[in-house]
Amino acid sequence: MKSKSKSFWASIIGVVVSGLYIVALFHIISTTWISFKKSGLDDTRIAVEGSLYIALMLVIITTFALSVAILVKIAKNKDIFNGRNRKILFSDIFFLFFVAFLCFVLSVSGVGTLAVILYVLALILLSISATLLLVDFNENLKIQKENRNKIDNTATQDNFYKIEEIMNKNINDKE
């Protein structure tokens, strides 16, 4: 678990932050819809803003699901750096950075001070989470490369000894 500790903590951070963001979005969406009904705004504006919130919710739910998938794979001691799990890992990294970018955009969009602080905190935590996953993936690549080099060196030495044995046999046969 030592080599996967960065991925484990990154997944925990991703799950917690995106889970809290989902809860906050449910609150924001419900209060926004209530205020729309009370204000009697144009249906077009309600549809556009509602659609944007729903699209944001889908992105956050996808990020949450990918972080949970990585966390489950780590808990089951499965290799998250190879095969299909690698695709899930890269998708999670992309969505974490994308949501962090969305947090940045939302933090400069003229919201209140508390919202700016929360968006910046989410931005930092999601960026840390994605970076930890990338660092862990990079370390795994280095380990794989070292193992591959060891195998290549062993195969080269074996071939050298076989060639040397054949040459010695040919020399002995000539004598």
Side-chain angles (χ1 to χ4, degrees):
M1 189 75 158
K2 184 181 181 211
S3 65
K4 296 179 185 177
S5 65
K6 289 183 188 91
S7 297
F8 176 76
W9 288 111
S11 297
I12 292 285
I13 292 170
V15 167
V16 169
V17 172
S18 57
L20 290 172
Y21 204 177
I22 289 170
V23 171
L25 269 176
F26 272 122
H27 174 70
I28 291 169
I29 289 172
S30 62
T31 57
T32 302
W33 283 103
I34 291 169
S35 69
F36 282 159
K37 292 297 179 185
K38 289 180 181 177
S39 67
L41 289 174
D42 182 20
D43 288 341
T44 306
R45 181 173 175 194
I46 293 172
V48 169
E49 287 194 34
S51 299
L52 289 173
Y53 279 127
I54 290 171
L56 181 60
M57 178 67 84
L58 290 175
V59 170
I60 302 299
I61 288 173
T62 303
T63 305
F64 179 76
L66 288 169
S67 293
V68 167
I70 294 292
L71 187 61
V72 167
K73 301 227 182 253
I74 291 170
K76 289 183 177 180
N77 287 328
K78 293 190 178 183
D79 188 13
I80 61 170
F81 302 112
N82 291 319
R84 193 173 183 183
N85 297 336
R86 187 180 195 173
K87 293 177 184 178
I88 295 171
L89 177 72
F90 284 134
S91 298
D92 190 29
I93 292 169
F94 169 77
F95 273 95
L96 287 169
F97 277 130
F98 184 67
V99 172
F101 172 73
L102 289 176
C103 287
F104 169 73
V105 169
L106 290 170
S107 69
V108 296
S109 66
V111 293
T113 306
L114 180 63
V116 168
I117 292 169
L118 292 176
Y119 282 132
V120 168
L121 183 64
L123 178 146
I124 292 168
L125 289 173
L126 290 172
S127 297
I128 288 171
S129 177
T131 303
L132 285 174
L133 287 171
L134 281 175
V135 166
D136 209 15
F137 179 75
N138 188 32
E139 288 174 357
N140 183 272
L141 279 180
K142 286 180 183 178
I143 291 170
Q144 287 179 355
K145 185 176 179 182
E146 288 172 3
N147 289 341
R148 200 174 310 125
N149 286 341
K150 287 178 186 176
I151 291 171
D152 288 345
N153 288 341
T154 304
T156 303
Q157 286 178 342
D158 288 345
N159 288 335
F160 173 75
Y161 290 131
K162 286 179 185 176
I163 291 170
E164 188 178 48
E165 183 179 308
I166 291 170
M167 288 176 60
N168 288 338
K169 184 179 178 187
N170 285 341
I171 291 172
N172 290 338
D173 287 344
K174 286 184 181 179
E175 290 177 355

